[in-house]
Amino acid sequence: MTDQELIEGILHRDRNAFQCLVNQYQKQVIKAAYHFVGNLEDAEDLSQEIFLDVIRSLPSFNKSSSLSTWIYRITVNKSLNMVKKKQRRGIMVRIESLFRPPVEHGSTHTTEPSVLPADLEHQEKQSLLHAAINRLPENQRIAFVLCKFEDHTYKQIAEIMKIGLPAVESLIHRAKVNLQQHLVHHFSEYQKT
Amino acid sequence: MDCSQLKSNIFAYSEGALSEEQCQSFESHLSSCIVCKQLMTELNHIEAIIEMEKSVEPSPFAATRILQRLENEFEATKKSYFPGLVRVLQPVAIAGALLCGILIGSYTAKKDNTQANQVVNPYENIEFLRTNLFISDFADEDTMLGLNK
Ligand SMILES: [Zn+2]
């Protein structure tokens, strides 16, 4: 099914078109969402919202870009919103924990699942990486994730972000410098302890 | 090159932006400094994590879940294809089938019962025929069967 046929089908609420859209784009959507939110389960839940948005806003799709690029834009926006929500929730949890009475450690410790040190190290680094990415300014973050995780060319990133090529280059360069500085700082501090 | 110079040059080194001379200086410090070597190992691990995340595969049920969600939200043509509708109709169909089963079951049970009664009481049947059909010539058979003893 071509993009045009797909769009026509969805506008006519044709079931085959729905199925085609999902089959064709689910991997792209889930993987991109995962690279922004850093958790596959969240990314899969979010993908449902993304497809709902795609179908709802399809009548306003003006075809100035490809369907794939347009779906990427929706995916990026939705994913960044989820990260913001999670960060806000994280702040709330931290504030709430300040007012909670201290937990007795002896009782809770035994029920925790045993995690291999290597896994723990991997998980720690994974969350460190995503925390560092989430500290980047939004535009740098989008450009970096699309380039590094999604293997997009600068031209594709420029289309998705609706900016020029030099701007993409500059964003990615600054993102890499910032990330590396953050990580080097973190590991140097870690080495001191 | 010392430790702090190496740190500030890591990015340029990884991008291949150092001059040959700087590159040699970077590598010679790296080979002699455990702290910087450890730092580079950590950074390489981060690169490996990015590569691993790139190869992530969605769950095989993800597509079905998305499609189901879309069905719930939008009315589509060719509704009969939709498992959403099947989900609603399924309990009704099962209830219907159960009811049919019960009815057929009780009917055949009744039939079996009457058949069993007929087999058990042959004499009652002969009496019935005799009185209702006004047949009196059963006498011989009666004596044969020992009814008139
Ligand atoms: Zn050093």
Side-chain angles (χ1 to χ4, degrees):
Chain A
M1 229 183 242
T2 63
D3 274 6
Q4 190 50 43
E5 286 168 334
L6 204 55
I7 294 164
E8 290 290 319
I10 289 165
L11 290 177
H12 287 97
R13 297 284 182 261
D14 171 20
R15 208 258 176 185
N16 286 334
F18 276 55
Q19 201 159 32
C20 246
L21 177 84
V22 173
N23 286 342
Q24 219 163 304
Y25 291 104
Q26 60 119 355
K27 246 188 194 176
Q28 168 191 314
V29 166
I30 294 173
K31 282 182 114 176
Y34 169 62
H35 294 143
F36 281 98
V37 301
N39 174 310
L40 190 58
E41 213 177 307
D42 285 345
E44 287 184 3
D45 286 346
L46 188 65
S47 70
Q48 298 179 10
E49 305 299 323
I50 293 167
F51 275 100
L52 283 179
D53 247 32
V54 166
I55 292 180
R56 277 194 199 117
S57 43
L58 202 60
S60 64
F61 172 52
N62 60 15
K63 291 162 200 161
S64 61
S65 62
S66 71
L67 187 61
S68 164
T69 301
W70 185 70
I71 291 176
Y72 256 118
R73 262 182 227 142
I74 294 176
T75 306
V76 170
N77 283 337
K78 280 267 177 190
S79 302
L80 292 180
N81 280 343
M82 185 185 228
V83 172
K84 267 184 222 157
K85 259 187 221 163
K86 277 176 90 177
Q87 280 172 339
R88 247 177 275 144
R89 218 178 299 145
I91 292 167
M92 282 311 292
V93 169
R94 261 174 274 146
I95 292 170
E96 278 167 17
S97 68
L98 289 175
F99 299 103
R100 222 175 284 145
V103 186
E104 282 173 45
H105 282 282
S107 56
T108 53
H109 220 79
T110 48
T111 55
E112 274 173 24
S114 59
V115 182
L116 293 171
D119 278 352
L120 194 68
E121 207 193 314
H122 181 86
Q123 278 174 20
E124 263 175 23
K125 283 199 185 131
Q126 205 172 8
S127 37
L128 168 73
L129 170 67
H130 282 282
I133 292 172
N134 287 337
R135 282 172 65 133
L136 292 174
E138 212 163 82
N139 274 352
Q140 287 182 27
R141 202 188 324 165
I142 299 168
F144 178 80
V145 169
L146 292 177
C147 168
K148 252 318 215 178
F149 287 84
E150 295 280 308
D151 284 334
H152 281 306
T153 62
Y154 284 11
K155 190 171 171 275
Q156 287 170 321
I157 298 170
E159 273 169 25
I160 294 170
M161 296 182 74
K162 290 182 175 171
I163 54 176
L165 273 180
V168 174
E169 267 172 55
S170 148
L171 283 174
I172 290 171
H173 178 82
R174 276 185 283 153
K176 280 182 180 171
V177 171
N178 284 338
L179 260 183
Q180 208 153 42
Q181 269 174 0
H182 182 82
L183 292 171
V184 166
H185 177 76
H186 177 89
F187 290 134
S188 305
E189 289 296 306
Y190 187 74
Q191 280 172 335
K192 278 181 203 161
T193 56
Chain B
M1 207 177 266
D2 61 18
C3 290
S4 69
Q5 281 171 325
L6 183 130
K7 273 183 202 167
S8 55
N9 277 310
I10 287 176
F11 180 72
Y13 176 76
S14 63
E15 295 282 298
L18 291 182
S19 70
E20 205 172 315
E21 201 184 322
Q22 283 174 312
C23 202
Q24 271 174 1
S25 171
F26 186 97
E27 281 166 359
S28 97
H29 177 86
L30 203 59
S31 62
S32 62
C33 176
I34 300 171
V35 178
C36 286
K37 210 184 268 177
Q38 178 67 28
L39 182 64
M40 286 303 280
T41 309
E42 301 283 17
L43 289 174
N44 286 338
H45 196 169
I46 292 286
E47 281 290 327
I49 288 172
I50 294 178
E51 283 308 311
M52 268 182 68
E53 287 203 3
K54 272 159 76 168
S55 60
V56 76
E57 284 296 319
S59 123
F61 309 109
T64 317
R65 282 199 287 258
I66 296 167
L67 207 58
Q68 211 150 39
R69 183 75 193 276
L70 297 184
E71 283 160 21
N72 294 342
E73 293 285 326
F74 301 99
E75 219 184 305
T77 54
K78 299 181 190 171
K79 278 176 202 157
S80 57
Y81 273 111
F82 275 66
L85 196 65
V86 172
R87 250 196 340 266
V88 176
L89 289 182
Q90 212 167 35
V92 178
I94 290 171
L98 272 174
L99 196 67
C100 280
I102 291 165
L103 287 175
I104 291 168
S106 61
Y107 174 71
T108 47
K110 250 185 215 161
K111 219 167 122 186
D112 283 350
N113 239 352
T114 45
Q115 270 168 0
N117 285 343
Q118 279 166 1
V119 172
V120 169
N121 300 314
Y123 307 133
E124 272 179 24
N125 265 338
I126 293 167
E127 278 305 313
F128 171 84
L129 286 171
R130 187 181 283 157
T131 48
N132 283 285
L133 300 171
F134 307 104
I135 296 169
S136 52
D137 294 341
F138 282 103
D140 289 345
E141 284 92 339
D142 281 356
T143 31
M144 249 174 65
L145 289 166
L147 281 176
N148 284 346
K149 261 181 198 170

